[in-house]
């Protein structure tokens, strides 16, 4: 008997994506009949079979859904989980929460555990390592076992899976446009998000807005690194030597860092420098000065992602991936107040 083969190995032989193989095996209308035929023939040749234990267990509901978050240091995910819990209770489901700690290996271990049929579906914000390596086979395997998956927040990848997120590019484009409307020309970007896709989307929003508005696109105004001491050093230089007029922080840590560095240089907020960032609404107003922030509607994101997942659980015959993009809003506090 031939040895078992994985989705990834099938995809490599056929020179297609894992997503294409998974969709073909599920007769997705997105895939051409010729490709479906090729995939199924090769799968049969190599004795490919979904996990029989998981498939059998999925014939009855557990009443549970799983959520995987990449970390718990960011209060944004706590808000999302609150939305998940709200909607899950309404729908009659219990929530089991896991933390991947930004690790692909941890993510794979969790999905292997839940593939035994202990949940009816999975909500996941994929880890930084998963996005960096672009390895999503463990998610496609769950769907092969008839366990639906919905991505949330970190959704900037085309892997044929339901997703709920925000317009990350548009969020920053709007922030730059607002600052430009205040007659500010020197705008800097601070980002500590590393390799994850939404960081890249936000940077693209910044550079696109600067080009469209005739602002400088010099690399020195984009401080994107996970090396915080390096970012701090470069930001100090921009504030003192270039006298930047506004700063956009692309994540929680970068926003707090920007506020601190500005004040360490005895530069006034908002009189000399305006700041827009990503801080939790519960904390933004308690900072001094209070920091204007991009509201990503995390509770609504959790609720919509859960509603989407429950619909998949109840209507498994629907094959076409769904995608919901929430519009963000800038909440203006002290740091963008008029001079």
């Amino acid at each position: 008997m031939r040895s078992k083969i994985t989705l990834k190995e099938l995809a490599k032989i056929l020179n297609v994506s894992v997503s294409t193989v998974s969709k073909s095996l599920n007769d997705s209308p997105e895939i051409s009949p010729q490709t479906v035929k090729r995939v199924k023939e090769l799968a049969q040749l190599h004795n490919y079979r979904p996990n029989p234990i998981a498939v059998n267990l999925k014939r009855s509901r557990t009443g549970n859904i799983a959520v995987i978050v990449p970390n718990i240091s960011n209060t944004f995910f706590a808000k999302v989980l609150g939305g998940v819990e709200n909607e899950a209770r309404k729908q009659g489901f219990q929530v089991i929460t896991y933390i991947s700690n930004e690790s692909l290996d941890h993510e794979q271990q969790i999905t292997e555990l839940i593939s035994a049929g202990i949940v009816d579906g999975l909500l996941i914000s994929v880890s930084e390592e998963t996005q960096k390596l672009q390895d999503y086979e463990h998610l496609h395997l769950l769907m092969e076992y008839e366990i639906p998956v919905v991505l949330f927040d970190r959704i900037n990848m085309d892997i044929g899976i339901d997703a709920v997120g925000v317009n990350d590019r548009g969020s920053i484009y709007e922030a730059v446009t607002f600052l430009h409307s205040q007659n500010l020309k020197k705008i800097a970007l601070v980002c500590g998000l590393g390799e994850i896709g939404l960081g890249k989307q936000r940077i693209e929003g910044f550079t696109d807005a600067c080009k469209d508005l005739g602002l400088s696109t010099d690399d020195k105004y984009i401080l994107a690194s996970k090396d915080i001491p390096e970012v701090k050093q470069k930001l100090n230089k921009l504030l003192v030597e270039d006298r930047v007029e506004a700063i956009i922080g692309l994540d929680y840590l970068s926003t707090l860092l920007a506020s601190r560095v500005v004040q360490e240089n005895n530069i006034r907020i908002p009189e000399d420098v305006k700041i827009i960032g990503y801080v939790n609404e519960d904390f933004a107003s308690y900072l001094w000065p209070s920091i204007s922030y991009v509201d990503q509607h995390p509770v609504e994101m959790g609720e919509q992602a859960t509603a989407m997942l429950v619909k998949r659980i109840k209507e498994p015959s629907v094959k076409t991936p769904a995608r919901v993009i929430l519009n963000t809003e800038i909440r203006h506090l002290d740091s963008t107040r008029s001079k």
Side-chain angles (χ1 to χ4, degrees), residues 31-57:
I31 309 301
S32 70
Q34 295 85 352
T35 301
V36 171
K37 185 172 182 288
R38 286 176 59 216
V39 170
K40 288 188 172 181
E41 286 177 349
L42 189 68
Q44 184 176 11
L45 177 66
H46 287 275
N47 198 35
Y48 173 77
R49 294 288 185 277
N51 184 331
I53 297 175
V55 172
N56 287 336
L57 285 171

Side-chain angles (χ1 to χ4, degrees), residues 155-168:
I155 65 170
N156 300 107
M157 71 285 284
D158 183 17
I159 56 175
I161 295 177
D162 293 341
V164 177
V166 299
N167 185 351
D168 284 298

Side-chain angles (χ1 to χ4, degrees), residues 67 94 195 226:
V67 185
Q94 298 295 318
E195 298 290 335
K226 297 189 75 173

Side-chain angles (χ1 to χ4, degrees), residues 95-311:
V95 179
I96 303 173
T97 304
Y98 299 92
I99 304 166
S100 68
N101 288 318
E102 303 288 10
S103 165
L104 170 60
D105 184 56
H106 288 176
E107 218 172 76
Q108 290 170 331
Q109 290 176 22
I110 296 166
T111 56
E112 183 176 355
L113 173 67
I114 66 177
S115 72
I118 63 173
V119 299
D120 297 324
L122 169 68
L123 298 169
I124 179 171
S125 182
V126 297
S127 72
E128 180 176 340
E129 187 178 18
T130 300
Q131 287 200 6
K132 185 176 182 180
L133 297 176
Q134 297 183 35
D135 187 343
Y136 307 108
E137 183 184 9
H138 53 302
L139 302 182
H140 289 294
L141 280 172
L142 283 182
M143 292 191 295
E144 280 295 295
Y145 303 158
E146 300 178 27
I147 301 175
V149 178
V150 173
L151 306 174
F152 67 90
D153 184 43
R154 301 178 179 182
I155 65 170
N156 300 107
M157 71 285 284
D158 183 17
I159 56 175
I161 295 177
D162 293 341
V164 177
V166 299
N167 185 351
D168 284 298
R169 178 190 173 281
S171 303
I172 302 305
Y173 193 103
E174 180 186 354
V176 175
T177 301
F178 167 79
L179 294 169
H180 179 260
S181 74
Q182 304 299 300
N183 297 315
L184 304 177
K185 307 296 183 184
K186 293 183 178 181
I187 304 172
L189 190 87
V190 183
C191 176
L193 289 172
E195 298 290 335
I196 57 178
L198 57 83
K200 294 177 182 178
Q201 290 285 311
R202 292 172 187 174
I203 292 171
E204 285 178 9
F206 177 81
T207 55
D208 288 347
C210 288
K211 289 175 184 176
D212 292 347
L213 298 170
L215 301 174
S216 174
T217 55
D218 193 310
D219 287 345
K220 70 179 180 180
Y221 290 113
I222 301 177
L223 310 180
S225 172
K226 297 189 75 173
D227 186 338
I228 300 303
E230 178 188 1
V231 171
K232 184 175 181 180
Q233 181 183 11
K234 289 182 177 179
L235 183 56
N236 268 308
K237 185 176 180 180
L238 280 179
L239 288 166
V240 175
E241 297 182 9
D242 293 85
R243 297 190 178 278
V244 295
E245 302 166 301
I247 301 170
I248 301 175
L250 293 197
D251 56 279
Y252 184 74
L253 179 60
S254 296
T255 303
L256 296 185
L257 176 67
S259 176
R260 180 183 178 94
V261 172
V262 168
Q263 293 183 72
E264 284 177 349
N265 283 282
N266 295 315
I267 297 172
R268 299 173 301 168
I269 304 172
E271 292 83 359
D272 303 317
V273 172
K274 296 191 187 301
I275 298 176
I276 297 175
Y278 283 79
V279 288
N280 186 276
E281 62 180 333
D282 294 338
F283 303 144
S285 61
Y286 292 101
L287 299 171
W288 183 257
S290 57
I291 301 297
S292 301
Y293 64 95
V294 176
D295 187 350
Q296 299 173 276
H297 307 297
V299 174
E300 183 182 354
M301 183 184 295
E303 290 174 344
Q304 290 219 25
T306 305
M308 184 181 289
L309 182 64
V310 171
K311 185 175 181 180

Side-chain angles (χ1 to χ4, degrees), residues 19 117 182 302 307 329:
S19 174
Q182 304 299 300
E329 295 178 70

